[in-house]
Structure formats: C-alpha cells, structure tokens
Amino acid sequence: MDTFAEPYTRAGDDISLDAVRDHVRALEARHKANGVQLSGRIIHVCHYLPVTCTITSTSTRDGVLSPPPTPPRILADVPPSPSDVLPPLTLPAQPERWKLTPRYGHSAMTSGIRSLSVTHEQVILGWTGDILSPAAPPDGNSSPDGDVNPSTGERVPSVRDRIPSARISQEDKDALDVELAQYTDKNGLEPETSKPITYLPLWMEDNVAHGHYDGYCKQTLWPLFHYLLWQDVATEHASADANYEYYEQANQAFATRLTSVLKPGDLVWVHDYHLLLVPRMLRVAMHSGAISGVGGENGGDVTIGLFVHTPFPSSEVFRCLPRRKEILDGMLGANLICFQTYSYTRHFTSTCVRVCGYETTSKGAMATSTSASRGASVVSRSATGTGSGIGTGQTRGTSLTRGGKGTKGGAGVEKYVGIDVQGHVAAVTHCPVGVDAERVARDTLRAGIQPKLEALRALYTDKKIIVGRDKLDVVKGVLQKLRAFEKLLHDYPEWQRKVVLIQVTSPALTDSPKLERQVSELVAHINGEYGSLDFIPVHHYHQTLRKDEFYALLSAADLGVITPLRDGMNTTSMEFVIAQERTKRSPLVLSEFMGISQHMADALQVNPWDLGDVAAAMNRGLVMSKEEKASRHASLHSVVTTHTSHTWAAVLAKMLLSQINGQNTARQTPYIPRDRLKELYDNAGKRLFLFDYDGTLTPIVKMPSMALPSPDALTALAKITSDPNNIVYIVSGRDQAFLEEHLGHFSRLGMSAEHGGFIRSPDSATWMNFTASLDMGWMEEVAEIFRYYTERTTGSHIERKKSSITWHYRSSDPEWGLFQCRQCQDLLENNVVSKRPIEVLVGKKNLEVRPIAVNKGEIVKRILYQNPGVEFIFCAGDDKTDEDMFRALLLFPPSSTSKATMEPPLSVTLVDNTKEHGDVELAVSPEAVFTTAVGHSSKRTLASWHVTTPEEVVEHMLFLVGETPQGDELKGYL
C-alpha cells in the first residue's frame, strides 16, 4: 500500500465502449472453448427495483371494497318494447392494478445496467420499495408534501400515501409480476437488438425493510463510510447495533430470493452498502448445495461480484463498527470486490488485514490479449504470495500489475490483489462510475430549458452566478460551502454585489431539521451582512428541481461549486460539464474528498474544510481566462463522455468474466464425499489417520497458546483411537510439551512434534529425536538474527524448539510485520542458508528455520513404511508444511489401479542404519487415500479433497464413528 498516485481508470478501460464489449465477447468465447459453463445472464441485486410501484385497483387497499361499476346507460328515453333488439352491452375495461414509473435517483447505475442488454440477458432483483396509492392533487383532502418527479413534474406520492405491505394480497403481488414482465422504460432507449430485462420484486415486511434501510444503513453504515460516526447524525442515545438484526434479515431475504432463480454459469453483481452480507450468504448456499444445479459436490458455479458505490473509510474508522467482522466476511464472499477509486480498495484491503488479520495475496485472472498488452501497476508491493504457493517455499511478494502478458494462446493474465479467507481469495479492484453522457446531452436540449435559461440571465444581469446543488445531508458540506462563500466576499471585496450563489438543496432521504435550521440561519446571516434591499447574495432553494430547471441552472452558471466532505460518485459535477458544453464552458470547483476527484483532474480541487482555499478557488474560477476555461473544459468533457455509465457496466462485466479462469477451474479441489469416505472406512481392515493440529483440528487463533481442542475434537479422537484397527497420529509443528499437555491422555494416539523433528508412537511414552545426529550449530546464528528483528518489531516474539526456531509477528502491525519478515527472509537466504543444511519457511504470520531433512513428509513416509498393511488413509492439513504430507502420499501414478511399493525413507534409514531395509508393498488402493486440505476449493494444494473449516474435519471424524457434533457447529465460511 505504498502509492497514492494510482490512476483513477486503469489501462485497458479507457478504450471505446465497442472495444470493451469485444473483450467481453472474446472472454466468453475463450471460456466456452475451455468447457466453462456460461448462462449468458447477469443478475443485478439492488436495494430498490428501478421502478416505482403504485397500486391503482385492489380490493385490499385500506380494507375498503371498491364500489361496483356504474350500470350501462340505455340509449333511448322511452323503454324499449319486447320486440326491440337491444344492442350488445360493452362493459368498461378493467383498470390496470399497478402503475409503474421509473424510479428517479441512481440513474447512472440504472442506465449502466440497462446498457448491458446489448450483450447479456439481464435480471434485476430489488425491493419493491413502499407500495404507494395514487397521488391526488393537494386539495386539502390529500397529502401535499410529496416529492416532484424531475422528469415529468408530476407529484410523487409521499410517505402518507404508503400502503402497509401486509395489506397487499398475493393476487396483487402476482399481478405485479405480470406488469413487470411487460414493463419497459420509455426513457431507456434500449436498441432493438437488446436482450430481455427481467425485474424480480422482493417483498419484505415493513419493519424489516425500514429497520434495514432507515435504521442500520442510514444511521450506521452511511455515516461510517463517510467518516462520521453514528452518534454524529442520530440521537444522543444512538447505538451502532440497534438495527443490525433487520439488516441481516433483509440481506438474507435478498439471498434467499436470489437462490430461487440462479442457474449454473450466471454472473451476479451485488450493488452497494445495503447488501454487504449477501455475497457470503449466497456462497454458503452454493456450498451447501441448497441451489438446484449450483455448488455442492457436483453442481456448477456462479461468479459473484460486489460493487460498493460509496466511499470506504480507513481501517481506523471502520474498526469502530461493532459488527465489523460480519460485514467484512459478508463482502469477502464475492469473487470480485470493486470500489470507485484505488484509495478505497487500499482502505478495504488494509482493513481486512488490520481488523480481521487476513492475508493479502495475488490473484491471477484471464484477460484478452488486447488488454493484456496494456498493463499498468495498480496494486502495491505489500501484497504477498501467501496462500498461492505449494510445498515448503512461498512466492515472494512482488508488485502486482494488471495485464501481465500471457504465454499461451495469446491470452494475458491480469493480476489483482486478493484477500485470502480460509483459502477463498476475493479479488479487489476499482472502476469508476460515469453518467449516461448521451442521455444527459439529450436532456440539455429539452425545449423547456431555453426560456428558463434566458429568465435566469435576465434576473442576474451583470452578475456572476455560482451554482451549487446538493442533498441536504451533513456529508455534502453545504454549511462549509456557505462559509467559504462568505469568506470570498470578505477576502475579495471586489465581488460584493457582483456575484450571487444559487444553492439548491434537495431533500435528503432522512430529514435533518437541525441541519436545515443551521443552513437557513447562515444564509440569513450572509444576506444580512452583504446584502441590501435591492440585492441578495445567497439564494437558497430547498426543493427538488424539475429537469428543465436543473439543466437551465447548470447552463447559466459562471462557476460550479460541489464540495462535499465525503462522497463517492457525484453525478452533478459530470452533468455540469455536459450542460456547459453549449454555453459558457465555465470551470468547476470540486472537493478532493470525492470519489471522482482524480477522474476530473482539470477541475479546481480544494479541501472543503479549508475555507480560505475554497474562497481562493472560487475567485480563481471567476477571473479565469476564456482560453484556460476552454482548455480545462475540453479535458473534463473528454473524460466525462468517454468513461460513461455504459463503459463502467461493460468493464464490470469484463472484470467479472476475467475471474473465471478455465484452467484454474479444472484444478479446483472437490469437496470430500462423505458417503464414499464412510464406505471405504467400514470396508478397510487397518486404517491410518494423520492430522495437523493448528488450522485442522482447531481454528487459527491470535495467541497460539489459546488453540485448545474443542469437546467435539476430543470426542472424535477418543472414539477413533479406541478402535484397535485405527492408527492415529497428530503431525504438528507444536512442541512435545504442548501436545502432551492437551492430547497426552490418549494412550493410543501417536504424535509427531516440531514438523517431524520428534515422534512418539502409539502406546509409547518415549520420544524419538530425528535431529540428534544432525548439526544444529546454525540455530544460535539464526536466533541472533531473529533477536535483531524482534527488537525492531513491536509485538513479535521468538519460539525456540529443539529442532527448529520460529519468529512470530501475528501480534505486530500487519504491514510492518510483513515488511520485517521479508527483510529477515532476505538476510537468512543470502547469508545463512547457502552455508548451512537448513531451509526457511514462510508460514501464517511467522518465519521458521529448520533442518532440510526434517519435515512432515518424512514422518508420514516412516509411519506408512512401518504400517504397510493399512487399507484406508485419511490425512488432513491446512498450510504449506502440510503439503509435505500430501506429497508423501502421492503413491500412485495417474489412473493407476495397481498396488504401490515404497522404498525405505530417510526417516527410517538415518535413525536405524544398523540393518538393511527393503521395499515394502502397500495394501492401500488409490481410491482409499483421502488427502484433505482445509480451505476453499480454489486453494492450490496437492490434496485430492477439501473441507472448508477445522470444524468440518471434526464433523467428518465423528461421522465415521457414528457420532454427531454436540457443540455449536461453525458452518463453513464459503
């Protein structure tokens, strides 16, 4: 994380929309050629449907029955005679039950999603929002406080027009499904060749929906992500946990609804901070096989992306959140996590490392040959190869670059920084959102704009116009902007009576009477200080503008000032640039704390807290020459019209497809088959069990001394060791004392300590030392180096064993500890390893040095050599040292069905060299060897099978002996 100057857009993403779509098609063609299943669908999971649903006819509304229709009128005044033939009666058409209109807000995201219909079938899953009754005109009998639709000027029903969801019948819900199936957005202007868009409504109880959104989202997450703590925006008794249960319930509702429509090969994009738990919930459902045809042991897969539209705060702010781990784990269920800017990805990665203790790694992804040749560094050198190597070594950390050129088939491999969570690696990257530039440009040509533009110019003749338009939200910095304008009038008195500020504040989703009062008081103060009877310097309008008014205001401006304290993507700044293309090409003052600030480098960027800086920027913009205005505007206009919402959506599709690597898919480790495991266990005469300890029988913990076996683990060991046909060994890196203290009471349990340095056979109390005949003089030399780094790394310590020495930095600052680990590793490899028979291993937050001849693989070979008659082998481990065990159990060539023979291993010949040792024939068959890695299926390993967590290892042990877990079973992460 050592660079703050990363590009806002990446190489390969600043090309034309057609070129990005060509990349998408090329990736899909390559995946299909590699046998990867793709459905051709992209499913977008959004908080709201992009449609407002108003119910117009229902028998359940407000519990009042609809009146009967008026009987048809008879055309003649005279009653007809019996001989007259009456004309056929025409009954009035039944009115539609639902009125569907576009939901305004989030227009950039919605237009981007719809643009993907050119290449993919689309499904949009979202909450219906509050169901509204028809809005009557404010005539005293209805609510006059509804919003105004900026596109049409029509009144939108207010909260008072809301119908409780419990009163919506199933018949009405079914009718809405029918209406949505026929719905098309008239403003979308999708091309005729577009593929279908399906809208899936999600129904939630009102208390859950509003506890989720108005509660946890708006009172906890929104402030936190904008560098405010919840007590800054809520009541004095605010609790950060008050509505979390509703947040979790709502996310589960989304995940459950999503599982009902998933198909193998779907691409799923989850949008924004409202749904951060959904990726993990969906991944758990896939893993459990709860989705038909997806996940499980034999199902296909779907690829999950998460795009966070808001800023993401630094780790020191995020760690204040009580539910921080649940939120991070939920996000890390995705294959790809995408933010607006590189700095947000840096904050997120640092938070995962510092708050949760997860490790970063590199993650390769497939790229087209075109984009592969346009590499640009986007990830810092702090990313390591942790978790990506196999065996005793570790891939050294390097600068991760996108677009490294491939060597096969012309395909490139893009590199992402990844977060490793129990073997599942979630890639992290960034991609900025744009606006629908073509639509905005069309809107600026609306017929109603020109008259309003001329009226504004006439009203403020000979005055410079500064325009600001923000939501009335504390993070939008309206108060700071007004104070900066006051400072402009004070520090640059020549502008008094010559400049006006038109500040429009649209109502926020959550009202803030206090902020509204502060703004009104400050506006009155400025007008009282610098205004007069015939001149008002600040014009404040607290209302929602219609489109004609909005674009007329942007077009009339001599300066745009948009200075939020924190913001993700701000569409007003981009719309300002497009609106100015046909008028003055006026400059723009932007806050440097916006997600798009790097994107729009030619704007006048300021620190909104520095009032003098903002005032000076305002003055500079007002006196700027026409030539400089034109130059800056041309650059901004090029950026805004090139990286649009359509390009953003296409790039997201490209990045998500690149996460599907056909070659890696073939190497994914399958989940261990329980029934087959049980069958072979029951049929075997002699059986061999080999277990690592930390991370296999017990979870990894911060303090190694706290890694104690659970009651279920002890029960499983007791049951398995009690069977005389079972040979059971713990093969651990722990020392003898620890293993004897916690597991020594199992008399029939064999133990190997210090990664194979010592072994104690079942029914024996004597330890055999494999290092007794080795030169261990190197240990003091290594200890001196470790002491040097311990003194300089707070929280680190040295663990000295009889056969190895380890430097731990798990309690240190993660980034500083990792840096020191690399420095120490370099020193050891360059100055000690070349002279001594030792090797250096990089483990999980540690650096270990041991003799070359001592490892877990040699111990496994010794045990198997001495017990050739075993017919069933179950070996489980979780880290790189356990790969030595898996390698030792690669006993058969591929597709072999013959018996294997085994040469005497070094662990036998070196210890007992007084007699000849011959080859032995093994009784075990290939299908009865269950080498099992603990972690995600994508974890690179030599094991044949995988489980996800240590709890699942214990569960399978209990299953073999007919027992079930008694404690709280911790479900697999992914």
Side-chain angles (χ1 to χ4, degrees):
M1 308 298 166
D2 56 354
T3 176
F4 293 84
E6 293 295 338
Y8 187 67
T9 55
R10 294 164 314 260
D13 294 347
D14 55 348
I15 55 180
S16 71
L17 177 60
D18 288 339
V20 177
R21 287 173 174 168
D22 287 342
H23 289 177
V24 169
R25 295 185 183 98
L27 279 170
E28 290 185 321
R30 184 169 294 123
H31 287 321
K32 290 176 181 178
N34 289 334
V36 177
Q37 186 176 8
L38 294 175
S39 68
R41 296 198 312 175
I42 300 179
I43 301 180
H44 299 272
V45 189
C46 310
H47 176 232
Y48 283 115
L49 283 176
V51 179
T52 299
C53 305
T54 303
I55 195 163
T56 59
S57 175
T58 176
S59 61
T60 60
R61 195 181 77 222
D62 298 328
V64 180
L65 294 176
S66 301
T70 303
R73 297 174 60 187
I74 298 176
L75 299 180
D77 292 331
V78 181
S81 68
S83 61
D84 291 338
V85 179
L86 292 176
L89 296 180
T90 304
L91 296 176
Q94 290 293 324
E96 293 181 350
R97 256 181 222 203
W98 294 93
K99 178 182 179 182
L100 305 181
T101 56
R103 185 184 299 275
Y104 64 93
H106 306 290
S107 59
M109 179 184 76
T110 303
S111 70
I113 290 174
R114 288 200 174 105
S115 71
L116 288 173
S117 298
V118 174
T119 55
H120 291 82
E121 178 186 347
Q122 304 239 75
V123 178
I124 302 178
L125 167 62
W127 177 42
T128 59
D130 289 322
I131 300 302
L132 307 176
S133 61
D139 55 3
N141 296 320
S142 61
S143 166
D145 58 351
D147 291 331
V148 174
N149 187 318
S151 299
T152 64
E154 296 179 355
R155 177 180 169 268
V156 175
S158 73
V159 174
R160 299 181 189 178
D161 302 306
R162 187 175 71 204
I163 300 176
S165 62
R167 294 191 179 182
I168 306 298
S169 68
Q170 186 59 49
E171 184 181 354
D172 291 330
K173 294 178 181 179
D174 294 341
L176 179 59
D177 289 338
V178 174
E179 295 286 344
L180 286 171
Q182 302 170 355
Y183 173 78
T184 55
D185 180 10
K186 301 300 189 295
N187 299 323
L189 297 178
E190 289 97 350
E192 295 181 0
T193 57
S194 291
K195 298 185 179 181
I197 299 178
T198 303
Y199 299 92
L200 290 180
L202 174 69
W203 297 90
M204 289 192 288
E205 296 179 3
D206 290 338
N207 64 325
V208 174
H210 290 280
H212 164 248
Y213 183 63
D214 301 327
Y216 199 75
C217 287
K218 282 301 176 185
Q219 295 181 22
T220 300
L221 292 182
W222 172 267
L224 183 78
F225 283 12
H226 291 81
Y227 286 79
L228 297 170
L229 296 183
W230 33 94
Q231 64 264 26
D232 297 329
V233 295
T235 67
E236 59 184 16
H237 303 294
S239 168
D241 247 1
N243 294 287
Y244 179 77
E245 62 177 311
Y246 295 123
Y247 186 82
E248 187 174 35
Q249 289 174 25
N251 275 251
Q252 187 61 64
F254 275 93
T256 302
R257 183 73 173 96
L258 180 58
T259 60
S260 68
V261 298
L262 275 181
K263 299 177 182 177
D266 280 343
L267 302 179
V268 176
W269 266 114
V270 181
H271 290 272
D272 221 1
Y273 70 101
H274 316 88
L275 305 172
L276 298 179
L277 302 181
V278 169
R280 181 180 185 271
M281 290 174 170
L282 180 58
R283 181 85 45 197
V284 169
M286 291 167 52
H287 171 69
S288 65
I291 309 173
S292 177
V294 177
E297 293 180 16
N298 302 310
D301 204 359
V302 299
T303 306
I304 307 170
L306 170 66
F307 190 91
V308 182
H309 294 257
T310 63
F312 195 89
S314 73
S315 60
E316 291 304 303
V317 173
F318 190 87
R319 74 188 315 144
C320 298
L321 184 66
R323 299 286 184 165
R324 59 197 186 185
K325 191 173 189 304
E326 290 91 334
I327 296 295
L328 290 175
D329 281 347
M331 299 173 70
L332 291 167
N335 298 90
L336 178 68
I337 305 168
C338 195
F339 296 89
Q340 295 269 9
T341 72
Y342 171 75
S343 62
Y344 300 161
T345 69
R346 186 167 50 82
H347 292 160
F348 175 75
T349 303
S350 178
T351 300
C352 292
V353 171
R354 292 177 175 276
V355 174
C356 292
Y358 297 142
E359 296 186 354
T360 57
T361 182
S362 64
K363 182 174 183 180
M366 183 179 290
T368 58
S369 57
T370 304
S371 62
S373 64
R374 305 181 58 160
S377 174
V378 298
V379 184
S380 70
R381 289 187 296 272
S382 68
T384 73
T386 307
S388 60
I390 301 178
T392 60
Q394 178 189 17
T395 304
R396 298 302 312 279
T398 57
S399 176
L400 303 182
T401 59
R402 296 180 66 89
K405 198 121 181 187
T407 58
K408 292 183 180 181
V413 176
E414 297 186 80
K415 291 290 186 180
Y416 293 80
V417 65
I419 308 297
D420 188 338
V421 185
Q422 297 182 9
H424 168 74
V425 178
V428 185
T429 188
H430 69 283
C431 179
V433 181
V435 294
D436 187 345
E438 292 183 6
R439 180 190 59 79
V440 174
R442 288 196 308 269
D443 287 343
T444 61
L445 301 177
R446 291 162 65 106
I449 294 177
Q450 190 61 31
K452 293 179 175 61
L453 174 59
E454 293 173 356
L456 283 170
R457 287 172 174 170
L459 184 62
Y460 299 108
T461 304
D462 300 327
K463 301 291 190 298
K464 293 285 189 179
I465 302 174
I466 300 177
V467 168
R469 187 256 197 173
D470 309 271
K471 285 183 179 178
L472 191 62
D473 191 308
V474 66
V475 302
K476 298 301 181 179
V478 177
L479 283 174
Q480 288 76 8
K481 184 193 301 187
L482 291 171
R483 293 188 183 112
F485 180 71
E486 181 183 14
K487 190 164 184 62
L488 170 73
L489 300 179
H490 178 273
D491 292 355
Y492 304 91
E494 63 270 21
W495 289 114
Q496 294 179 17
R497 300 184 63 84
K498 294 183 179 179
V499 65
V500 295
L501 169 63
I502 303 177
Q503 175 63 51
V504 178
T505 55
S506 57
L509 294 173
T510 53
D511 293 332
S512 177
K514 178 182 177 181
L515 179 60
E516 188 173 352
R517 185 181 68 253
Q518 289 175 325
V519 169
S520 298
E521 290 173 352
L522 184 53
V523 168
H525 165 74
I526 297 172
N527 288 338
E529 186 73 21
Y530 295 98
S532 62
L533 291 176
D534 61 344
F535 176 73
I536 300 175
V538 180
H539 298 257
H540 175 226
Y541 302 95
H542 183 54
Q543 65 187 66
T544 300
L545 295 179
R546 299 182 182 183
K547 271 191 177 181
D548 292 353
E549 296 171 329
F550 174 62
Y551 286 116
L553 185 62
L554 296 187
S555 301
D558 294 286
L559 181 68
V561 180
I562 304 171
T563 52
L565 308 180
R566 288 283 169 184
D567 211 350
M569 186 201 72
N570 187 294
T571 59
T572 302
S573 58
M574 301 181 186
E575 291 165 329
F576 177 88
V577 172
I578 296 173
Q580 284 285 325
E581 174 69 9
R582 301 175 61 85
T583 55
K584 302 177 181 180
R585 303 189 175 185
S586 299
L588 184 62
V589 176
L590 288 185
S591 166
E592 65 185 53
F593 299 124
M594 298 167 64
I596 61 168
S597 59
Q598 291 174 309
H599 190 29
M600 306 182 74
D602 281 279
L604 301 175
Q605 298 193 13
V606 295
N607 176 357
W609 297 98
D610 186 345
L611 303 184
D613 185 28
V614 179
M618 289 180 179
N619 178 67
R620 181 181 174 186
L622 292 171
V623 300
M624 187 177 292
S625 66
K626 287 186 177 181
E627 292 77 13
E628 186 177 356
K629 287 182 182 179
S631 174
R632 287 177 176 270
H633 174 81
S635 176
L636 291 174
H637 191 266
S638 174
V639 169
V640 170
T641 56
T642 299
H643 197 90
T644 65
S645 60
H646 294 192
T647 313
W648 162 77
V651 169
L652 287 187
K654 183 185 77 170
M655 291 194 301
L656 199 53
L657 282 166
S658 71
Q659 297 302 310
I660 309 171
N661 189 325
Q663 298 169 355
N664 288 343
T665 302
R667 290 203 304 266
Q668 287 201 340
T669 309
Y671 195 81
I672 189 168
R674 287 166 54 110
D675 294 338
R676 186 61 175 157
L677 180 75
K678 174 69 170 171
E679 178 188 353
L680 291 171
Y681 172 85
D682 291 339
N683 293 336
K686 284 286 185 181
R687 315 174 189 105
L688 174 62
F689 291 87
L690 304 162
F691 300 111
D692 175 41
Y693 184 77
D694 292 285
T696 301
L697 294 181
T698 63
I700 296 291
V701 294
K702 196 163 189 177
M703 294 298 295
S705 60
M706 301 302 293
L708 305 180
S710 67
D712 280 340
L714 294 175
T715 299
L717 287 173
K719 291 286 186 180
I720 291 178
T721 56
S722 65
D723 189 332
N725 291 325
N726 293 341
I727 303 167
V728 187
Y729 273 87
I730 302 297
V731 185
S732 173
R734 296 284 190 156
D735 60 22
Q736 302 142 274
F738 181 92
L739 294 179
E740 286 186 332
E741 178 185 357
H742 297 290
L743 302 174
H745 56 286
F746 295 114
S747 61
R748 297 199 67 256
L749 177 65
M751 291 183 276
S752 173
E754 301 189 20
H755 297 297
F758 298 85
I759 188 171
R760 194 190 83 171
S761 300
D763 296 319
S764 171
T766 304
W767 287 89
M768 181 179 296
N769 183 359
F770 288 103
T771 65
S773 59
L774 300 178
D775 177 12
M776 303 296 289
W778 52 267
M779 189 173 286
E780 186 55 39
E781 185 178 356
V782 173
E784 184 63 30
I785 295 174
F786 280 173
R787 282 192 289 269
Y788 174 86
Y789 282 95
T790 301
E791 292 170 359
R792 289 157 178 78
T793 312
T794 303
S796 66
H797 69 277
I798 301 171
E799 180 185 12
R800 190 161 183 167
K801 304 174 186 176
K802 295 178 181 178
S803 64
S804 64
I805 184 168
T806 306
W807 182 68
H808 296 272
Y809 62 92
R810 184 170 294 277
S811 298
S812 305
D813 177 271
E815 294 181 13
W816 176 243
L818 180 60
F819 174 79
Q820 291 289 78
C821 177
R822 289 182 183 155
Q823 297 296 311
C824 184
Q825 182 182 0
D826 284 339
L827 183 60
L828 290 169
E829 290 177 345
N830 293 328
N831 295 279
V832 182
V833 172
S834 59
K835 306 172 186 176
R836 301 280 194 168
I838 58 176
E839 60 183 346
V840 180
L841 293 92
V842 181
K844 295 179 178 178
K845 305 289 185 180
N846 64 63
L847 194 64
E848 181 177 10
V849 181
R850 70 183 187 189
I852 290 178
V854 175
N855 61 67
K856 291 184 178 183
E858 285 298 319
I859 287 298
V860 168
K861 290 177 183 178
R862 175 185 174 87
I863 296 170
L864 188 56
Y865 182 82
Q866 294 178 338
N867 299 277
V870 297
E871 299 172 346
F872 172 91
I873 301 175
F874 182 32
C875 176
D878 71 305
D879 68 11
K880 285 180 287 296
T881 61
D882 299 315
E883 296 295 330
D884 291 333
M885 294 198 294
F886 302 150
R887 184 180 292 106
L889 292 174
L890 294 175
L891 305 170
F892 304 92
S895 303
S896 173
T897 58
S898 60
K899 296 294 184 180
T901 57
M902 187 175 186
E903 298 177 350
L906 287 174
S907 51
V908 171
T909 57
L910 288 179
V911 174
D912 186 5
N913 55 9
T914 60
K915 62 179 182 179
E916 291 290 330
H917 298 279
D919 295 351
V920 297
E921 183 177 270
L922 303 179
V924 69
S925 61
E927 64 175 1
V929 179
F930 290 87
T931 50
T932 307
V934 181
H936 190 259
S937 60
S938 61
K939 179 179 182 178
R940 295 186 62 190
T941 179
L942 293 172
S944 300
W945 308 100
H946 95 281
V947 295
T948 310
T949 65
E951 289 75 15
E952 292 179 31
V953 176
V954 175
E955 180 190 354
H956 281 77
M957 294 166 64
L958 292 170
F959 176 72
L960 292 178
V961 294
E963 299 286 338
T964 57
Q966 299 301 310
D968 292 333
E969 181 187 355
L970 179 63
K971 296 295 183 183
Y973 174 73
L974 299 171

